[in-house]
Structures are given as C-alpha cells and as structure tokens.
Amino acid sequence: MSTPPALQIREANAHLAAVHRRAAELEARLEAAERTVRAQAERLSRHDQQLRAALEELGRAKDREISALQERLLACEASVQSLQAAVHQRDELIGQLRPRADLLQDICRQRSPLTTLLSALAQAERLGPVPANDPSHLYPGGPGGPGPPLTNSTGEEEGEGHLEPAVFGTTV
C-alpha cells in the first residue's frame, strides 16, 4: 500500500481539526442548551409548586368562606324562625284583641247619642222629683182627671204586672 501524498494528509488533518472544532462547538452549544433546559425545567417546577400552593390556599379559603356562609345561613334561619314565632304570637294577640277593638269602635260610634242621653238624664235629675203635695202633676187633667198614673211601662207587657212609677236618675 502506498502512503497518501502529504497534501492529502494535511487536508485530512485540517478536515479532522475542523470536524473536532465543530464537534466541540456543538458539544458546547449542547451543554448550554441542556443548562437552559434544566434552568427552565427548574423554573417551571418552582412555578408549578407555587401554583399548586396558591391553588391549595385558594381551596382552603373557599372552604373557610363556605363554612362562614353556612354559619350565617343557620343564624339567619334561626332568626327567621324566631321572627315567624313572634309574628304568630302577635297574630294570636291581634285575634284576641280584635273583638275588644270592635266593641270600642261601636262605643265610639255611639258616643254622641250616649252623650245626648246622659245630658238629658242630668237635666232631668236637676229638675228633681215632682212635689208630692201637688196631685195635679200625677194625673193629666188635674185631680180626679181621666187616665191611669204614669208608669215606666211600654204598653207591651200586658199581663206581666205593673212596673214601678218612672223616676229620673242615673245608676252609673
């Protein structure tokens, strides 16, 4: 076998050196890319952990808020039941007081006629009794005149006996 010419050996050596440089350059770039990928993976992992922690805290905060809202709901329901019981008691009281209120309204509507009646009774009381020594006042037309003595009978009580003679006065 013959040895290759020196020029070919130099060219081959130059080519090998260039390939070696290129391989070293590519290895350096590969190492840099791997460092970048590892750094990015670490950052993504930390970010993922942060997001997981934030999500867990958000879940706990949600659970606390739900618990607080459930407590408020229970308190509101208890308040509603208490208010409903109070309304029921008041409705019963109103039912008990309604007849009395109606009676008071009737009394108020009849106040004017009652006042007039009381005024007339007071005036009759001021007049006093008829003198006993004047018999003309007992019978219409004077002494010995026609007609029965005045009584407080309405004329509808026939056969029920006679009532006492009318006397003005109040019994209140």
Side-chain angles (χ1 to χ4, degrees), residues 29 47 68 81 146:
R29 286 178 63 189
H47 187 66
Q81 288 178 353

Side-chain angles (χ1 to χ4, degrees), residues 80-153:
V80 165
Q81 288 178 353
S82 172
L83 290 172
Q84 285 176 336
V87 165
H88 180 70
Q89 287 175 344
R90 287 192 176 100
D91 285 346
E92 286 180 359
L93 181 60
I94 287 171
Q96 292 171 357
L97 294 176
R98 176 77 57 201
R100 294 177 185 194
D102 292 342
L103 179 62
L104 287 174
Q105 285 179 340
D106 288 344
I107 290 170
C108 287
R109 278 192 291 271
Q110 297 173 7
R111 182 177 178 203
S112 180
L114 286 175
T115 303
T116 305
L117 177 62
L118 288 175
S119 175
L121 288 174
Q123 184 179 6
E125 221 173 45
R126 281 192 299 269
L127 290 176
V130 176
N133 56 4
D134 187 6
S136 65
H137 287 69
L138 294 177
Y139 304 106
L150 294 177
T151 64
N152 56 359
S153 172

Side-chain angles (χ1 to χ4, degrees), residues 128-171:
V130 176
N133 56 4
D134 187 6
S136 65
H137 287 69
L138 294 177
Y139 304 106
L150 294 177
T151 64
N152 56 359
S153 172
T154 59
E156 299 173 0
E157 301 93 7
E158 298 213 13
E160 292 183 14
H162 293 285
L163 297 176
E164 295 294 320
V167 177
F168 291 110
T170 59
T171 58

